[in-house]
């Protein structure tokens, strides 16, 4: 079970000390986090969980789980989903995905993983913050069901090239874009957009979208 923060922890953590956390333990069963016929994961939903809110309306049968490292954003996002009546099947937990993903179960239990506009860090000394790395890919490969989708989008061309290369080198994933052999998709097929995606479209910036399937 999730444990209550102590008074000292509350003082140190500030107004979002009560941020929703995953249950404690080495293994967290995603199926116990809410209701749904299948499971979708978003890494880094951002300040208001905008994608999850739209996705919850577009796919009411799914259980949606967001992992957001920022305490305030996880809290506000989770409360917003609940306020709109989606609390039973869409949640955001305050977690560092690199630490939380290895705890998630069951293997092969996730239908889709979304990574929208990740890693806005460019300096070499910030490389250690990158979500998209070996841990991420190994754990996503473990969690996705056969045929399950990994969807990544960004407005930064060099990052899109890097993601295409890194995922492309991973045997667990097969490109599932519009053209055979390529991960590139022109349209977002999920009936839901992330806040950064909405902004990129409004600003006329190109969005690089890619999909792979679990082998
Ligand atoms: C550039 S923002 C994009 C927000 C949102 N996905 C969108 O497209 O509008 C990147 C998000 O990833 C979150 N993030 C960064 N590292 C993370 C980690 N290790 N685990 C979970 N979330 C992380 C950030 O706090 C932020 O919300």
């Amino acid at each position: 079970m999730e444990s209550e923060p102590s008074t000292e922890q509350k003082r140190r953590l500030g107004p979002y000390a009560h941020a929703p956390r995953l249950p404690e333990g080495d293994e967290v069963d995603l199926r116990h986090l809410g209701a749904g016929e299948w499971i979708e994961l978003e890494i880094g939903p951002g300040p208001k969980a905008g994608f999850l809110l739209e996705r919850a309306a577009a796919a009411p049968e799914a259980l949606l789980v967001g992992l957001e490292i920022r305490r305030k954003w996880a809290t506000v996002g989770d409360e917003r989903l609940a306020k709109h009546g989606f609390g039973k099947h869409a949640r955001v937990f305050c977690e560092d995905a690199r630490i939380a993903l290895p705890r998630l179960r069951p293997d092969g239990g996730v239908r889709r993983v979304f990574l929208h506009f990740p890693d806005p860090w460019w300096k070499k000394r910030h490389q250690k913050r990158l979500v998209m790395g070996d841990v991420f890919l190994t754990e996503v490969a473990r969690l996705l069901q056969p045929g399950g989708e990994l969807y990544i989008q960004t407005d930064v061309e060099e990052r899109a090239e890097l993601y295409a290369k890194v995922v492309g080198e991973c045997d667990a994933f097969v490109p599932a874009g519009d053209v055979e052999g390529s991960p590139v998709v022109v349209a977002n097929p999920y009936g839901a957009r992330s806040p950064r995606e909405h902004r990129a479209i409004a600003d006329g910036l190109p969005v690089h979208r890619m999909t792979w399937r679990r082998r």
Side-chain angles (χ1 to χ4, degrees):
M1 281 299 293
E2 206 175 306
S3 63
E4 271 290 302
S6 66
T7 311
E8 170 53 22
Q9 277 171 329
K10 280 184 189 158
R11 191 194 58 71
R12 196 163 40 79
L13 299 176
Y16 298 100
H18 64 294
R21 302 294 309 270
L22 287 174
E24 286 176 356
D26 293 342
E27 300 194 356
V28 175
D29 192 324
L30 286 159
R31 295 166 296 190
H32 298 163
L33 300 178
E37 291 170 23
W38 70 85
I39 298 170
E40 301 185 0
L41 264 182
E42 185 189 359
I43 312 302
K48 293 186 190 165
F51 172 79
L52 292 176
L53 193 71
E54 293 184 20
R55 182 71 184 149
E61 312 88 349
L63 167 58
L64 310 176
V65 176
L67 301 175
E68 170 54 57
I69 199 166
R70 294 187 65 167
R71 194 171 289 280
K72 176 176 177 179
W73 293 359
T75 310
V76 172
D78 194 54
E79 287 175 358
R80 191 166 178 232
L81 290 165
K83 209 172 110 195
H84 282 78
F86 297 126
K88 281 206 169 58
H89 77 108
R91 298 289 317 270
V92 183
F93 297 94
C94 175
E95 300 291 342
D96 180 336
R98 294 165 300 181
I99 297 168
L101 284 171
R103 298 168 57 212
L104 301 182
R105 301 289 183 281
D107 295 357
V110 174
R111 185 180 283 192
R112 295 191 176 94
V113 174
F114 300 105
L115 190 58
H116 305 296
F117 299 79
D119 298 333
W121 298 291
W122 318 110
K123 296 181 180 154
K124 205 151 185 86
R125 68 192 153 93
H126 290 157
Q127 292 288 309
K128 59 181 180 301
R129 292 189 193 171
L130 298 180
V131 171
M132 176 56 190
D134 290 349
V135 173
F136 175 84
L137 278 184
T138 304
E139 296 305 326
V140 169
R142 179 180 61 80
L143 286 165
L144 276 177
Q145 62 192 51
E149 294 162 25
L150 167 60
Y151 179 81
I152 305 180
Q153 56 177 351
T154 174
D155 55 357
V156 182
E157 192 174 355
E158 302 84 72
R159 277 286 153 89
E161 286 167 3
L162 177 70
Y163 301 147
K165 179 173 182 300
V166 174
V167 185
E169 286 171 356
C170 185
D171 277 351
F173 299 100
V174 182
D178 297 333
V179 174
E180 208 183 323
S182 161
V184 175
V185 287
V186 171
N188 167 344
Y190 300 109
R193 297 195 188 284
S194 82
R196 285 284 293 264
E197 183 181 7
H198 277 297
R199 204 174 328 140
I201 291 168
D203 293 346
L205 294 174
V207 178
H208 307 274
R209 302 181 173 93
M210 291 168 286
T211 305
W212 290 265
R213 282 192 187 279
R214 179 70 172 94
R215 206 177 279 282

